[in-house]
Amino acid sequence: MKKEDKVLVVEKLVELIGKYPHVYLTDIEALPADKTSELRRECFKSEVKLMVVKNSLLRLAMSQVNEEAFAPLFPLLKGNTAVMFAETANVPAKVIKNFTKNEKKGEGKPQLKGAYVQESIYVGPENLEALVNIKSKEELIADVVALLQSPAKNVISALQSGGNTIHGVLQTLQERN
């Protein structure tokens, strides 16, 4: 690869790392061509950008963006590395899990090498389940809204279900005074 081409690849990787807050490193070595195409389709449907890159160029790009944050991932940059970029933290983990659900544990490809998710580092395939369970921003907002609505719904429900009872309680309170 010419030096000019390498510079362009690094610039593209720096742009992608800056654009997407979540980066997954995966191993897709020995994945048959038809399975690779299927994985690419799944990633496209899930709005995950999948790229196979040279480890040295990825390391250089990560160093240019934030060497301190990405440094724990540098030892993982060996062998075949595919990078998954995503806006939502758990989507690449879900793609990997769904893609390998019919494989024996630890043998399915793609296999998680490591991830930079929500400013945290996850190393090794044993962290895949933890990454799947990370809630996205939208899911967290929905949980908070549901929690905020719950007391109001309970009060309204109690008021609607016991209309006569409330009238009786109010009347009893009035008579006490």
Side-chain angles (χ1 to χ4, degrees):
M1 184 181 277
K2 294 180 185 175
K3 186 174 182 175
E4 299 84 27
D5 295 336
K6 289 179 182 179
V7 169
L8 291 173
V9 169
V10 170
E11 287 174 359
K12 180 68 175 170
L13 287 170
V14 167
E15 178 187 326
L16 289 170
I17 293 169
K19 179 180 176 184
Y20 294 99
H22 310 293
V23 180
Y24 282 68
L25 303 179
T26 60
D27 176 13
I28 62 170
E29 188 175 12
L31 195 65
D34 61 328
K35 289 286 191 183
T36 303
S37 295
E38 186 180 332
L39 176 62
R40 288 185 183 278
R41 278 192 296 278
E42 288 301 315
C43 287
F44 182 78
K45 286 181 199 172
S46 301
E47 297 180 2
V48 173
K49 181 142 183 76
L50 176 70
M51 290 181 68
V52 177
V53 295
K54 290 186 74 154
N55 292 324
S56 58
L57 299 180
L58 181 59
R59 178 186 297 230
L60 184 60
M62 288 176 158
S63 295
Q64 287 180 13
V65 172
N66 188 345
E67 184 168 6
E68 189 177 310
F70 290 108
L73 295 177
F74 292 164
L76 306 175
L77 296 175
K78 296 176 182 161
N80 190 328
T81 303
V83 187
M84 299 172 108
F85 299 99
E87 291 284 342
T88 307
N90 61 358
V91 173
K94 288 180 179 179
V95 168
I96 293 169
K97 185 176 179 182
N98 288 338
F99 200 78
T100 59
K101 65 185 172 194
N102 296 329
E103 304 291 328
K104 292 180 183 175
K105 189 170 179 125
E107 291 183 18
K109 298 282 181 163
Q111 190 171 52
L112 179 69
K113 285 182 166 185
Y116 177 79
V117 176
Q118 295 179 343
E119 299 177 3
S120 297
I121 299 290
Y122 297 84
V123 177
E126 62 276 0
N127 287 310
L128 184 62
E129 197 62 39
L131 289 166
V132 167
N133 293 326
I134 289 178
K135 292 192 175 194
S136 68
K137 180 180 177 182
E138 292 77 18
E139 291 170 327
L140 289 173
I141 290 171
D143 286 351
V144 169
V145 169
L147 287 171
L148 292 173
Q149 287 180 342
S150 181
K153 285 182 179 178
N154 290 342
V155 169
I156 291 170
S157 175
L159 289 173
Q160 289 176 341
S161 68
N164 295 332
T165 309
I166 290 175
H167 177 66
V169 170
L170 291 175
Q171 208 168 16
T172 305
L173 289 173
Q174 185 179 15
E175 290 172 7
R176 283 187 184 173
N177 293 331

